[in-house]
Amino acid sequence: MTEDALVIFTPSGKRGRFALGTPVLTAARQLGVDLDSVCGGRGICSKCQITPGYGEFSKHGVTVEADALSDWNAVEDRYKRIRGLTEGRRLGCQAKVMGDIVIDVPPESQVHKQVIRKSATERVIAMDPATRAYYVEVAEPDMHEPTGDFERLALALRDQWQIEDVTCDLRLMRRLQPVLRKGEWKVTVVVHKGNHDTTPRILDIFPGFNENPLYGMAIDLGSTTIAAHLCDLADGRVLASSGVMNPQIRFGEDLMSRVSYAMMNPGGDVEMTRAVREAINSLAGALAVEAAVPPTSIYETVFVCNPVMHHLLLGIDPVELGQAPFALATSGSLSLDARDLDLSVLNASARVYILPCIAGHVGADCAAVALSEEPGKSDDMVLIVDVGTNAEILLGNKTRVLACSSPTGPAFEGAQISSGQRAAPGAIERVEIDPATKEPRFKVIGSDLWSTEAGFAEATATTGVTGICGSGIIEAVAEMRMAGLVDQAGLIGSPEQTGTPRSISVGRTHDYVLHDGSAEGGPLITVTQGDIRAIQLAKAALYAGAKLLMDEMGVETVDRVTLAGAFGAHISPKHAMVLGMIPDVKLDRVVSAGNAAGTGARIALCNVASRNAIEATVHEIHKVETAIEPRFQEHFVNASAIPNAVDTFPELSKIVTLPEVSFNTSGSGGDRGRRRRG
């Protein structure tokens, strides 16, 4: 019997082996995992709540048995009875490691709360929402003309507002008669009129003239982050925006890992569906509190999501999406009752609209980007890149639009990085390296000062410097390439080769020290050779997808590049191009679209005609399947170099001169090479 066990924490990805009987909180502290505790592990504060995962986790290479944690104890039982504990949660100070275990740290248990970067983008939207309020005067009942109250309400809507053939559910029918009489036959009805030939439905009814505003939510359900915007359906204003980590991360950081979890663990898809629906309910409730509106006044929600998230939200097993021909259960748009998705926080009659998917690996989120950015109306050739754990890519103009998805993985989100973390106060987000001295400076989330500026230590005293997030690692690797610390192949040079003691030997490879806070009890933050490889794999997948679309389109270059999502808003075009993430183009032709998928969701929420438009558009977008295209691997291998092994990047070379260094000492006697590949 083994004396220790492997403990893996998500979403940080940090892992380590611990003696059996070690409290989860102790393991988290030793690994530097962001798990809160105020009471010192006495089971009083409940800040250290965690969610264990059980079953087979192929992504992590472990199988978690049902007895991987110690049994539920009296402290946890007392806390649950008195204050309540979400089903499936444990207290990290009480649960002890008894076997290999995957543990998710929920957002509310993290000391450094994640900064959700998918904020709402300012956008002028022509208001024509599917859900509106109508004031009507209903004819009173007449013994000589016997008709039901509902039929006379429907007649009033037809005559006064030209709304034909309305329906309502039984719950609302039970309220109808007392409300009509209380309002003396004058009522305000909330009616949902969907797109196409959707039957109008009464969602609510109030006596008299009711001016209470109606609200809707636009939700971008991503693999890593769930971002939501609460909007006023009268004018489209965003009243509150927030987001949470997708709790499904504990089942796998990327989409195929989650499909694999569903394949290998009977009922795994049900677990993931329950987890994401609970998170959406919590997020909706938090938005309502932030905006100071009753959640029961939220009458409609629009979702955009990739195909795997789409199926798991709907409660459909995603197993078919894990193998060719990547068949969707349904690709069309969906109009549902919110209660079908267990969205119990909203109004009991609330409606849900889900944008159509384009293909098995190109989902409603890509359709939302197309709705927001409208590549099919562009005069020039535009490449639109929405980067997350899975990248959605669009290329086209008025003539034709192509789409594909590319499996970039979670490295751009700060995962699979040695000192990586999610975007939170204290995380390094900007990096510059002096090419002469090889000395770095950086900015962290929560402070506007560079690390070399006076007052930086005081400004970051509360948060400290805790790690490096996605934008930080991207800039760090690009800066290391420009400073001659990394060669084209992605190798980090030795101290002798680079001329700096910040390059340190670790086994047969080297790390670059970005920040050493160990003297003050802080972390040693380095960029490792493994980190470089993770970024190379991610950016190569992204670039290869773009090149496939360019091949299909028959073009060698693009006229402009639009970066969408949190990535686009926080990465400089220069660093993206130095890495070779995007095709060569003039830097002033690279723009950010912010959270384009979220913007597309808001457009669909506020303008019902846009739903018809995107449903027609998705049929005109041609899907390129990266998984079966033979040239993808060729492009991928070439794009693994920094910036590329064969593409020359002439526009980039006008503003950046990359050092011609080679640190591959195989057969070279260890001398510093000057050869540049490509």
Side-chain angles (χ1 to χ4, degrees):
M1 178 178 176
T2 58
E3 298 299 318
D4 62 13
L6 177 65
V7 181
I8 302 168
F9 286 94
T10 64
S12 66
K14 293 181 178 179
R15 60 173 63 201
R17 300 200 72 87
F18 294 90
L20 301 185
T22 301
V24 170
L25 180 60
T26 301
R29 284 172 169 169
Q30 291 183 19
L31 288 174
V33 171
D34 197 13
L35 179 59
D36 203 355
S37 178
V38 174
C39 69
R42 292 181 300 224
I44 299 171
C45 72
S46 80
K47 298 288 187 182
C48 64
Q49 293 184 29
I50 52 97
T51 305
Y54 299 98
E56 188 166 347
F57 293 83
S58 58
K59 171 71 176 180
H60 303 301
V62 298
T63 299
V64 181
E65 305 294 344
D67 59 355
L69 289 181
S70 58
D71 292 340
W72 181 264
N73 69 15
V75 174
E76 293 171 301
D77 187 62
R78 184 187 70 232
Y79 183 85
K80 183 169 185 177
R81 279 189 289 104
I82 297 172
R83 300 182 62 183
L85 196 63
T86 301
E87 193 66 32
R89 292 270 180 92
R90 299 289 303 271
L91 296 182
C93 62
Q94 301 300 309
K96 295 180 174 62
V97 176
M98 304 305 294
D100 294 348
I101 184 71
V102 176
I103 295 171
D104 182 58
V105 181
E108 58 269 32
S109 298
Q110 297 172 23
V111 181
H112 302 95
K113 307 305 181 192
Q114 185 197 14
V115 177
I116 300 300
R117 293 184 156 187
K118 295 184 177 182
S119 57
T121 305
E122 288 292 329
R123 188 66 169 261
V124 176
I125 302 173
M127 292 303 298
D128 181 21
T131 303
R132 291 173 179 261
Y134 300 89
Y135 173 75
V136 292
E137 297 182 357
V138 181
E140 295 185 35
D142 186 338
M143 290 180 60
H144 302 292
E145 295 181 15
T147 57
D149 286 350
F150 175 75
E151 284 70 27
R152 278 180 281 101
L153 174 61
L155 188 63
L157 282 167
R158 188 195 71 182
D159 293 344
Q160 296 166 39
W161 291 101
Q162 293 74 56
I163 300 174
E164 302 269 0
D165 302 323
V166 294
T167 65
C168 77
D169 61 22
L170 183 59
R171 182 196 63 85
L172 203 61
M173 192 72 76
R174 295 190 186 109
R175 291 179 49 212
L176 181 62
Q177 290 192 312
V179 171
L180 281 169
R181 282 152 183 81
K182 183 177 180 180
E184 297 179 343
W185 308 101
K186 300 177 181 65
V187 292
T188 302
V189 288
V190 178
V191 179
H192 175 83
K193 293 193 299 178
N195 51 322
H196 294 313
D197 56 355
T198 306
T199 303
R201 179 183 298 202
I202 298 175
L203 304 183
D204 217 339
I205 183 168
F206 302 95
F209 179 64
N210 188 294
E211 293 184 285
N212 290 340
L214 312 179
Y215 304 102
M217 287 195 306
I219 297 181
D220 177 6
L221 174 53
S223 309
T224 302
T225 304
I226 308 172
H229 310 296
L230 180 63
C231 303
D232 189 320
L233 292 180
D235 54 20
R237 284 182 303 126
V238 177
L239 304 177
S241 294
S242 188
V244 295
M245 299 297 299
N246 188 329
Q248 293 175 345
I249 284 176
R250 70 177 180 268
F251 303 103
E253 288 178 325
D254 56 64
L255 298 175
M256 288 303 103
S257 295
R258 293 179 204 176
V259 173
S260 175
Y261 184 85
M263 287 178 174
M264 296 180 178
N265 298 278
D269 58 314
V270 177
E271 278 187 89
M272 289 186 278
T273 294
R274 184 188 309 114
V276 78
R277 289 180 179 179
E278 288 174 354
I280 292 166
N281 270 313
S282 296
L283 182 56
L287 282 174
V289 170
E290 182 182 342
V293 304
T296 52
S297 61
I298 302 174
Y299 288 95
E300 188 169 12
T301 299
V302 169
F303 282 97
V304 299
C305 41
N306 62 56
V308 174
M309 292 300 96
H310 174 276
H311 278 39
L312 289 174
L313 172 66
L314 293 170
I316 298 172
D317 192 332
V319 62
E320 292 299 331
L321 296 173
Q323 55 201 1
F326 315 112
L328 289 153
T330 178
S331 60
S333 65
L334 293 171
S335 294
L336 310 164
D337 288 327
R339 58 177 175 267
D340 290 339
L341 303 182
D342 301 323
L343 301 183
S344 55
V345 170
L346 314 184
N347 183 279
S349 296
R351 296 287 289 168
V352 166
Y353 176 78
I354 303 176
L355 270 70
C357 292
I358 295 174
H361 279 168
V362 184
D365 48 358
C366 192
V369 172
L371 177 59
S372 172
E373 300 307 305
E374 299 181 314
K377 296 183 179 179
S378 175
D379 291 318
D380 55 5
M381 187 62 66
V382 58
L383 179 75
I384 304 170
V385 182
D386 189 356
V387 177
T389 307
N390 210 55
E392 280 78 36
I393 309 171
L394 292 160
L395 175 70
N397 56 18
K398 288 180 176 178
T399 305
R400 190 183 184 204
V401 177
L402 308 178
C404 75
S405 68
S406 201
T408 52
F412 289 147
E413 305 278 354
Q416 296 183 347
I417 302 300
S418 60
S419 297
Q421 66 169 87
R422 305 300 176 185
I428 295 172
E429 64 170 342
R430 296 290 314 280
V431 177
E432 289 183 356
I433 299 176
D434 188 309
T437 66
K438 318 299 183 187
E439 286 297 300
R441 69 174 191 158
F442 53 81
K443 284 185 176 181
V444 301
I445 296 174
S447 173
D448 292 328
L449 297 176
W450 287 96
S451 57
T452 51
E453 293 182 288
F456 175 80
E458 293 76 11
T460 59
T462 303
T463 63
V465 181
T466 55
I468 186 165
C469 67
S471 62
I473 191 64
I474 289 168
E475 292 200 7
V477 175
E479 287 284 328
M480 289 172 70
R481 179 71 182 94
M482 290 188 283
L485 295 161
V486 166
D487 65 12
Q488 188 186 31
L491 291 173
I492 302 174
S494 67
E496 296 76 23
Q497 291 171 319
T498 60
T500 175
R502 284 188 175 272
S503 181
I504 59 175
S505 296
V506 181
R508 300 178 63 182
T509 62
H510 301 92
D511 296 350
Y512 175 75
V513 177
L514 194 57
H515 171 70
D516 187 356
S518 55
E520 297 81 31
L524 173 66
I525 299 175
T526 61
V527 179
T528 70
Q529 190 64 67
D531 297 340
I532 302 284
R533 290 290 180 244
I535 291 297
Q536 284 179 287
L537 292 173
K539 71 97 178 179
L542 177 59
Y543 191 85
K547 287 289 287 185
L548 269 185
L549 296 189
M550 293 167 70
D551 289 346
E552 180 73 18
M553 190 68 75
V555 298
E556 294 291 328
T557 61
V558 298
D559 297 312
R560 59 189 173 95
V561 175
T562 297
L563 301 177
F567 160 80
H570 292 86
I571 303 299
S572 75
K574 183 176 79 171
H575 289 97
M577 207 166 291
V578 167
L579 275 184
M581 296 176 72
I582 56 176
D584 187 63
V585 69
K586 291 181 179 179
L587 289 188
D588 63 2
R589 301 289 286 166
V590 182
V591 299
S592 170
N595 181 17
T599 300
R602 284 166 51 215
I603 292 171
L605 176 67
C606 296
N607 185 287
V608 70
S610 68
R611 304 180 187 185
N612 298 335
I614 194 58
E615 288 170 15
T617 298
V618 294
H619 296 297
E620 299 169 359
I621 297 175
H622 176 67
K623 165 71 188 321
V624 175
E625 181 54 68
T626 57
I628 59 173
E629 285 287 342
R631 291 208 66 190
F632 181 84
Q633 189 63 26
E634 177 188 343
H635 289 315
F636 180 86
V637 171
N638 292 334
S640 297
I642 305 174
N644 198 283
V646 295
D647 292 346
T648 56
F649 287 77
E651 293 295 338
L652 177 64
S653 65
K654 294 176 183 177
I655 56 171
V656 174
T657 301
L658 297 177
E660 296 187 12
V661 295
S662 174
F663 301 133
N664 185 354
T665 58
S666 302
S668 64
D671 61 321
R672 185 173 179 173
R674 306 294 297 175
R675 178 177 54 85
R676 181 174 178 179
R677 291 173 58 198

